[in-house]
């Protein structure tokens, strides 16, 4: 059924994962909502925090809502700001890092397919 | 390959479709970028404008970036504001409408799968 929820009124949970610091997330639209193809997750990373430096067999499509960060892609750091969209192809090493001196959390949406290429559920979808 | 683009620095094209008024869009990440499962599109609808009142065999996942609008879902109008996420299941009648007196365009992202359930490409993916 249709669903309307606001990212600012949805409880977020700490991301418990090796290599993560100061990150929290909420699944806004996902498998539990019967989304058939892809899931929308809302993330916040505190100043000085980061997502894991990793790669996996599914892609990310990212939208930067607010704040500042850097993303590691193809071995290089790229500055990110509100309105940026990022495509992280499958099997691409990536990490989002927020500067220690940032004035606010880095907020972004990260979309993933609900199934991995091998057919299992994508974690956090 | 990875891709970083900003929605505020990307040219948008008028949406040429029956039932549309004052809407423009840009594919931020899509089939041409080899996105394998879903596409991210950026939309702007002018005050007094609207998207078509229609339904189709694939879902939408929507994020409201800025502005105000109403969305028709299940026969009712729902107010939308920045930070709202909307899940429009497949075959659900829907329309986004921006009030005539709105002070700014309504900006949103609309994600779609790249393939329809019957296997063909989703328009605008």
């Amino acid at each position: 059924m249709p669903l309307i929820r606001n990212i600012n009124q949805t409880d977020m949970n700490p991301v418990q994962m090796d290599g993560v610091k100061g990150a929290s997330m909420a699944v806004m639209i996902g498998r539990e909502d019967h989304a058939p193809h892809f899931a929308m997750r809302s993330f916040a990373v505190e100043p000085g925090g980061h997502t894991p430096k990793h790669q996996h067999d599914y892609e990310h499509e990212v939208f930067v809502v607010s704040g500042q960060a850097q993303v590691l892609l193809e071995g290089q750091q790229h500055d990110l700001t509100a309105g940026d969209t990022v495509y992280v192809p499958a099997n691409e090493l990536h990490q989002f890092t927020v500067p220690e001196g940032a004035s606010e959390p880095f907020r972004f949406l990260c979309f993933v397919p609900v199934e991995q290429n091998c057919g299992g559920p994508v974690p956090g979808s």
Side-chain angles (χ1 to χ4, degrees), chain A:
Chain A
M1 67 174 55
L3 185 68
I4 301 176
R5 300 169 71 197
N6 195 288
I7 62 168
N8 300 313
Q9 295 164 5
T10 303
D11 289 339
M12 303 181 78
N13 295 309
V15 180
Q16 308 281 8
M17 194 176 178
D18 281 352
V20 171
K21 182 181 175 191
S24 57
M25 67 96 80
V27 178
M28 300 305 299
I29 304 169
R31 300 176 70 86
E32 290 188 2
D33 307 304
H34 308 291
H37 298 106
F38 53 97
M40 179 195 297
R41 297 100 50 87
S42 171
F43 284 83
V45 182
E46 298 298 321
H50 52 76
T51 64
K53 185 190 294 184
H54 69 172
Q55 61 200 76
H56 36 66
D57 76 346
Y58 52 88
E59 76 277 21
H60 286 323
E61 296 187 17
V62 167
F63 177 72
V64 177
V65 176
S66 58
Q68 307 283 328
Q70 290 193 311
V71 62
L72 176 70
L73 284 173
E74 298 184 307
Q76 296 203 315
Q77 298 287 357
H78 305 265
D79 290 335
L80 293 179
T81 192
D84 277 338
T85 66
V86 185
Y87 176 50
V88 183
N91 304 310
E92 180 79 30
L93 186 69
H94 59 279
Q95 182 179 37
F96 294 87
T97 303
V98 183
E100 196 74 52
S103 60
E104 58 178 327
F106 177 64
R107 301 282 304 270
F108 66 102
L109 303 178
C110 179
F111 292 73
V112 292
V114 294
E115 290 189 0
Q116 288 177 291
N117 288 341
C118 55
V122 168
S125 65

